[in-house]
Amino acid sequence: MQISLIQALLIGVVYYMGFVGTPWLIGVLGSLSCIQKPLVAGVLVGVILGDPVQGCIIGAAVQMPFIAYIFAGGAQPNDPGLAGTLGVALALAANLDPEAAVAISVPIALIGTIINVIRMTLDVSFVHMIDAACEKGDMKRAIFLHIVPPQVLCFVLCVVPVTLGCYYGVDAVNGIITAMQGRPLYTLEVIGGLLPALGIAMNLRTLDRPGTLIWFVFGFIISAYLGLGAMPVAIIGFVIAFFYVALEMRAESGDAPAARALVETSSSTSAVASEDSDDDFE
């Protein structure tokens, strides 16, 4: 499959719309950051390239290594948005299996991290411009510098690399896949099959708490041994979660007086201890 320039440009726009910091349609949809998920981005890329089903399949496979993705503080994890757009597009164009698509998408996600670091570094210059405008009392210019130039920069940094990668990268990927036929390509697919397990393992770390992990084990049992599909398991989980949360909230409301007394006792004890400590230093 050959990706046209218009298709490559649209895929770049999809990546930009899901990029962290884009404000468009927030009032309508709440946020478009869901496009950053490879599963969602893969469907949209599949629609643009005329094969939404395969785009969804590859996007779901690429989603697994990023299932525990979190962007916190100054940490810069690999970018799932670029993996779900450029990675899925190249995989679709090269007619790759989902396992091989995962193997090429994860390194592509690292490029997205570099793009984000470059964007944040260049955005610092706008902050100094805003400070200068505020010192002069020009709030209209400060608002303009806060919104327009950063979004123009973000649009260029997101759309241009993805467009060029989609338009010129298909031949390169096809050449690499042709050169890797046989054992090298099989090794690549095996690595791609292991990466989703890593994502699931990272996600399971959050379940290692009393009262949480047992529900995962229960879901695994009814899925593996009763042969139930994802939808019945999801419905059972919803029903259990509904009653579990209702009972937990009722228990918490019933224990509220005791908890309040405990807090008051703790506060009074801390106050007495504080007074004793002050006396010791007098």
PDB file of all heavy atoms in Angstrom, residues 21-45:
ATOM      1  N   GLY A  21      -1.516  18.829  25.378  1.00  0.00           N
ATOM      2  CA  GLY A  21      -1.421  20.282  25.324  1.00  0.00           C
ATOM      3  C   GLY A  21      -2.243  20.920  24.236  1.00  0.00           C
ATOM      4  O   GLY A  21      -2.334  22.151  24.172  1.00  0.00           O
ATOM      5  N   THR A  22      -2.868  20.137  23.361  1.00  0.00           N
ATOM      6  CA  THR A  22      -3.731  20.722  22.333  1.00  0.00           C
ATOM      7  C   THR A  22      -5.111  20.999  22.924  1.00  0.00           C
ATOM      8  O   THR A  22      -5.729  20.106  23.499  1.00  0.00           O
ATOM      9  CB  THR A  22      -3.868  19.770  21.133  1.00  0.00           C
ATOM     10  OG1 THR A  22      -4.260  18.476  21.599  1.00  0.00           O
ATOM     11  CG2 THR A  22      -2.551  19.629  20.405  1.00  0.00           C
ATOM     12  N   PRO A  23      -5.613  22.228  22.798  1.00  0.00           N
ATOM     13  CA  PRO A  23      -6.844  22.601  23.505  1.00  0.00           C
ATOM     14  C   PRO A  23      -8.119  22.447  22.702  1.00  0.00           C
ATOM     15  O   PRO A  23      -9.194  22.755  23.200  1.00  0.00           O
ATOM     16  CB  PRO A  23      -6.601  24.089  23.798  1.00  0.00           C
ATOM     17  CG  PRO A  23      -5.840  24.555  22.600  1.00  0.00           C
ATOM     18  CD  PRO A  23      -4.982  23.390  22.152  1.00  0.00           C
ATOM     19  N   TRP A  24      -8.046  21.995  21.452  1.00  0.00           N
ATOM     20  CA  TRP A  24      -9.208  22.062  20.578  1.00  0.00           C
ATOM     21  C   TRP A  24     -10.310  21.100  21.020  1.00  0.00           C
ATOM     22  O   TRP A  24     -10.079  19.969  21.396  1.00  0.00           O
ATOM     23  CB  TRP A  24      -8.800  21.746  19.135  1.00  0.00           C
ATOM     24  CG  TRP A  24      -7.586  22.516  18.724  1.00  0.00           C
ATOM     25  CD1 TRP A  24      -6.373  21.993  18.355  1.00  0.00           C
ATOM     26  CD2 TRP A  24      -7.430  23.935  18.682  1.00  0.00           C
ATOM     27  NE1 TRP A  24      -5.492  22.991  18.079  1.00  0.00           N
ATOM     28  CE2 TRP A  24      -6.103  24.195  18.265  1.00  0.00           C
ATOM     29  CE3 TRP A  24      -8.281  25.001  18.949  1.00  0.00           C
ATOM     30  CZ2 TRP A  24      -5.618  25.490  18.120  1.00  0.00           C
ATOM     31  CZ3 TRP A  24      -7.792  26.300  18.805  1.00  0.00           C
ATOM     32  CH2 TRP A  24      -6.482  26.521  18.393  1.00  0.00           C
ATOM     33  N   LEU A  25     -11.532  21.599  20.949  1.00  0.00           N
ATOM     34  CA  LEU A  25     -12.767  20.835  21.221  1.00  0.00           C
ATOM     35  C   LEU A  25     -12.838  20.329  22.655  1.00  0.00           C
ATOM     36  O   LEU A  25     -13.602  19.412  22.946  1.00  0.00           O
ATOM     37  CB  LEU A  25     -12.891  19.653  20.260  1.00  0.00           C
ATOM     38  CG  LEU A  25     -12.976  20.001  18.766  1.00  0.00           C
ATOM     39  CD1 LEU A  25     -13.074  18.737  17.937  1.00  0.00           C
ATOM     40  CD2 LEU A  25     -14.133  20.924  18.470  1.00  0.00           C
ATOM     41  N   ILE A  26     -12.075  20.921  23.569  1.00  0.00           N
ATOM     42  CA  ILE A  26     -12.134  20.467  24.961  1.00  0.00           C
ATOM     43  C   ILE A  26     -13.522  20.699  25.537  1.00  0.00           C
ATOM     44  O   ILE A  26     -14.051  19.876  26.276  1.00  0.00           O
ATOM     45  CB  ILE A  26     -11.056  21.187  25.803  1.00  0.00           C
ATOM     46  CG1 ILE A  26      -9.681  20.658  25.427  1.00  0.00           C
ATOM     47  CG2 ILE A  26     -11.306  20.999  27.295  1.00  0.00           C
ATOM     48  CD1 ILE A  26      -8.547  21.301  26.182  1.00  0.00           C
ATOM     49  N   GLY A  27     -14.134  21.831  25.192  1.00  0.00           N
ATOM     50  CA  GLY A  27     -15.465  22.115  25.707  1.00  0.00           C
ATOM     51  C   GLY A  27     -16.534  21.190  25.165  1.00  0.00           C
ATOM     52  O   GLY A  27     -17.585  21.020  25.772  1.00  0.00           O
ATOM     53  N   VAL A  28     -16.274  20.578  24.012  1.00  0.00           N
ATOM     54  CA  VAL A  28     -17.279  19.712  23.385  1.00  0.00           C
ATOM     55  C   VAL A  28     -17.106  18.261  23.817  1.00  0.00           C
ATOM     56  O   VAL A  28     -18.056  17.597  24.219  1.00  0.00           O
ATOM     57  CB  VAL A  28     -17.187  19.815  21.840  1.00  0.00           C
ATOM     58  CG1 VAL A  28     -18.204  18.892  21.182  1.00  0.00           C
ATOM     59  CG2 VAL A  28     -17.415  21.257  21.407  1.00  0.00           C
ATOM     60  N   LEU A  29     -15.879  17.787  23.775  1.00  0.00           N
ATOM     61  CA  LEU A  29     -15.623  16.368  24.020  1.00  0.00           C
ATOM     62  C   LEU A  29     -14.933  16.098  25.355  1.00  0.00           C
ATOM     63  O   LEU A  29     -14.660  14.965  25.675  1.00  0.00           O
ATOM     64  CB  LEU A  29     -14.765  15.794  22.886  1.00  0.00           C
ATOM     65  CG  LEU A  29     -15.381  15.863  21.486  1.00  0.00           C
ATOM     66  CD1 LEU A  29     -14.398  15.323  20.469  1.00  0.00           C
ATOM     67  CD2 LEU A  29     -16.681  15.095  21.418  1.00  0.00           C
ATOM     68  N   GLY A  30     -14.661  17.145  26.125  1.00  0.00           N
ATOM     69  CA  GLY A  30     -13.951  16.950  27.377  1.00  0.00           C
ATOM     70  C   GLY A  30     -12.458  16.947  27.159  1.00  0.00           C
ATOM     71  O   GLY A  30     -11.722  17.662  27.808  1.00  0.00           O
ATOM     72  N   SER A  31     -11.954  16.182  26.244  1.00  0.00           N
ATOM     73  CA  SER A  31     -10.539  16.176  25.882  1.00  0.00           C
ATOM     74  C   SER A  31     -10.361  15.234  24.703  1.00  0.00           C
ATOM     75  O   SER A  31     -11.106  14.271  24.543  1.00  0.00           O
ATOM     76  CB  SER A  31      -9.678  15.713  27.053  1.00  0.00           C
ATOM     77  OG  SER A  31      -8.335  15.595  26.638  1.00  0.00           O
ATOM     78  N   LEU A  32      -9.380  15.547  23.864  1.00  0.00           N
ATOM     79  CA  LEU A  32      -9.070  14.673  22.739  1.00  0.00           C
ATOM     80  C   LEU A  32      -7.830  13.832  23.009  1.00  0.00           C
ATOM     81  O   LEU A  32      -7.276  13.242  22.095  1.00  0.00           O
ATOM     82  CB  LEU A  32      -8.862  15.510  21.470  1.00  0.00           C
ATOM     83  CG  LEU A  32     -10.122  16.110  20.855  1.00  0.00           C
ATOM     84  CD1 LEU A  32      -9.772  16.897  19.605  1.00  0.00           C
ATOM     85  CD2 LEU A  32     -11.138  15.039  20.509  1.00  0.00           C
ATOM     86  N   SER A  33      -7.372  13.815  24.262  1.00  0.00           N
ATOM     87  CA  SER A  33      -6.179  13.030  24.578  1.00  0.00           C
ATOM     88  C   SER A  33      -6.415  11.539  24.384  1.00  0.00           C
ATOM     89  O   SER A  33      -5.457  10.772  24.331  1.00  0.00           O
ATOM     90  CB  SER A  33      -5.736  13.297  26.017  1.00  0.00           C
ATOM     91  OG  SER A  33      -6.761  12.951  26.930  1.00  0.00           O
ATOM     92  N   CYS A  34      -7.696  11.126  24.270  1.00  0.00           N
ATOM     93  CA  CYS A  34      -7.965   9.707  24.014  1.00  0.00           C
ATOM     94  C   CYS A  34      -7.406   9.279  22.663  1.00  0.00           C
ATOM     95  O   CYS A  34      -7.131   8.097  22.450  1.00  0.00           O
ATOM     96  CB  CYS A  34      -9.466   9.426  24.084  1.00  0.00           C
ATOM     97  SG  CYS A  34     -10.452  10.290  22.848  1.00  0.00           S
ATOM     98  N   ILE A  35      -7.225  10.242  21.741  1.00  0.00           N
ATOM     99  CA  ILE A  35      -6.654   9.911  20.431  1.00  0.00           C
ATOM    100  C   ILE A  35      -5.210   9.456  20.591  1.00  0.00           C
ATOM    101  O   ILE A  35      -4.666   8.757  19.733  1.00  0.00           O
ATOM    102  CB  ILE A  35      -6.747  11.124  19.488  1.00  0.00           C
ATOM    103  CG1 ILE A  35      -8.215  11.500  19.276  1.00  0.00           C
ATOM    104  CG2 ILE A  35      -6.104  10.845  18.138  1.00  0.00           C
ATOM    105  CD1 ILE A  35      -8.416  12.697  18.387  1.00  0.00           C
ATOM    106  N   GLN A  36      -4.580   9.843  21.701  1.00  0.00           N
ATOM    107  CA  GLN A  36      -3.203   9.430  21.941  1.00  0.00           C
ATOM    108  C   GLN A  36      -3.089   7.930  22.141  1.00  0.00           C
ATOM    109  O   GLN A  36      -2.010   7.357  21.952  1.00  0.00           O
ATOM    110  CB  GLN A  36      -2.656  10.175  23.154  1.00  0.00           C
ATOM    111  CG  GLN A  36      -1.162  10.029  23.356  1.00  0.00           C
ATOM    112  CD  GLN A  36      -0.698  10.674  24.647  1.00  0.00           C
ATOM    113  OE1 GLN A  36      -1.316  10.501  25.689  1.00  0.00           O
ATOM    114  NE2 GLN A  36       0.375  11.425  24.584  1.00  0.00           N
ATOM    115  N   LYS A  37      -4.178   7.277  22.520  1.00  0.00           N
ATOM    116  CA  LYS A  37      -4.143   5.827  22.716  1.00  0.00           C
ATOM    117  C   LYS A  37      -3.990   5.133  21.367  1.00  0.00           C
ATOM    118  O   LYS A  37      -4.734   5.418  20.424  1.00  0.00           O
ATOM    119  CB  LYS A  37      -5.427   5.351  23.405  1.00  0.00           C
ATOM    120  CG  LYS A  37      -5.790   6.111  24.667  1.00  0.00           C
ATOM    121  CD  LYS A  37      -4.715   6.015  25.710  1.00  0.00           C
ATOM    122  CE  LYS A  37      -5.110   6.758  26.975  1.00  0.00           C
ATOM    123  NZ  LYS A  37      -4.037   6.743  27.995  1.00  0.00           N
ATOM    124  N   PRO A  38      -3.041   4.218  21.237  1.00  0.00           N
ATOM    125  CA  PRO A  38      -2.838   3.546  19.949  1.00  0.00           C
ATOM    126  C   PRO A  38      -4.081   2.835  19.424  1.00  0.00           C
ATOM    127  O   PRO A  38      -4.270   2.755  18.213  1.00  0.00           O
ATOM    128  CB  PRO A  38      -1.715   2.547  20.257  1.00  0.00           C
ATOM    129  CG  PRO A  38      -0.954   3.176  21.374  1.00  0.00           C
ATOM    130  CD  PRO A  38      -1.990   3.865  22.215  1.00  0.00           C
ATOM    131  N   LEU A  39      -4.927   2.334  20.329  1.00  0.00           N
ATOM    132  CA  LEU A  39      -6.140   1.663  19.872  1.00  0.00           C
ATOM    133  C   LEU A  39      -7.050   2.633  19.127  1.00  0.00           C
ATOM    134  O   LEU A  39      -7.586   2.316  18.054  1.00  0.00           O
ATOM    135  CB  LEU A  39      -6.879   1.056  21.069  1.00  0.00           C
ATOM    136  CG  LEU A  39      -8.221   0.385  20.761  1.00  0.00           C
ATOM    137  CD1 LEU A  39      -8.047  -0.726  19.743  1.00  0.00           C
ATOM    138  CD2 LEU A  39      -8.852  -0.142  22.047  1.00  0.00           C
ATOM    139  N   VAL A  40      -7.230   3.839  19.699  1.00  0.00           N
ATOM    140  CA  VAL A  40      -8.081   4.847  19.054  1.00  0.00           C
ATOM    141  C   VAL A  40      -7.396   5.409  17.817  1.00  0.00           C
ATOM    142  O   VAL A  40      -8.011   5.534  16.743  1.00  0.00           O
ATOM    143  CB  VAL A  40      -8.415   5.976  20.048  1.00  0.00           C
ATOM    144  CG1 VAL A  40      -9.284   7.035  19.393  1.00  0.00           C
ATOM    145  CG2 VAL A  40      -9.090   5.420  21.288  1.00  0.00           C
ATOM    146  N   ALA A  41      -6.117   5.747  17.949  1.00  0.00           N
ATOM    147  CA  ALA A  41      -5.376   6.283  16.810  1.00  0.00           C
ATOM    148  C   ALA A  41      -5.299   5.276  15.670  1.00  0.00           C
ATOM    149  O   ALA A  41      -5.379   5.644  14.494  1.00  0.00           O
ATOM    150  CB  ALA A  41      -3.968   6.686  17.245  1.00  0.00           C
ATOM    151  N   GLY A  42      -5.162   3.996  16.012  1.00  0.00           N
ATOM    152  CA  GLY A  42      -5.097   2.973  14.975  1.00  0.00           C
ATOM    153  C   GLY A  42      -6.371   2.886  14.157  1.00  0.00           C
ATOM    154  O   GLY A  42      -6.323   2.711  12.932  1.00  0.00           O
ATOM    155  N   VAL A  43      -7.510   3.034  14.821  1.00  0.00           N
ATOM    156  CA  VAL A  43      -8.786   3.024  14.090  1.00  0.00           C
ATOM    157  C   VAL A  43      -8.866   4.217  13.147  1.00  0.00           C
ATOM    158  O   VAL A  43      -9.274   4.092  11.982  1.00  0.00           O
ATOM    159  CB  VAL A  43      -9.966   3.028  15.079  1.00  0.00           C
ATOM    160  CG1 VAL A  43     -11.292   3.160  14.327  1.00  0.00           C
ATOM    161  CG2 VAL A  43      -9.968   1.754  15.920  1.00  0.00           C
ATOM    162  N   LEU A  44      -8.498   5.402  13.648  1.00  0.00           N
ATOM    163  CA  LEU A  44      -8.550   6.605  12.807  1.00  0.00           C
ATOM    164  C   LEU A  44      -7.582   6.505  11.631  1.00  0.00           C
ATOM    165  O   LEU A  44      -7.921   6.884  10.503  1.00  0.00           O
ATOM    166  CB  LEU A  44      -8.234   7.835  13.656  1.00  0.00           C
ATOM    167  CG  LEU A  44      -9.220   8.145  14.782  1.00  0.00           C
ATOM    168  CD1 LEU A  44      -8.749   9.340  15.598  1.00  0.00           C
ATOM    169  CD2 LEU A  44     -10.617   8.403  14.223  1.00  0.00           C
ATOM    170  N   VAL A  45      -6.390   5.986  11.874  1.00  0.00           N
ATOM    171  CA  VAL A  45      -5.428   5.791  10.785  1.00  0.00           C
ATOM    172  C   VAL A  45      -5.966   4.772   9.789  1.00  0.00           C
ATOM    173  O   VAL A  45      -5.829   4.941   8.566  1.00  0.00           O
ATOM    174  CB  VAL A  45      -4.072   5.341  11.354  1.00  0.00           C
ATOM    175  CG1 VAL A  45      -3.133   4.910  10.231  1.00  0.00           C
ATOM    176  CG2 VAL A  45      -3.436   6.468  12.152  1.00  0.00           C
TER     177      VAL A  45
END
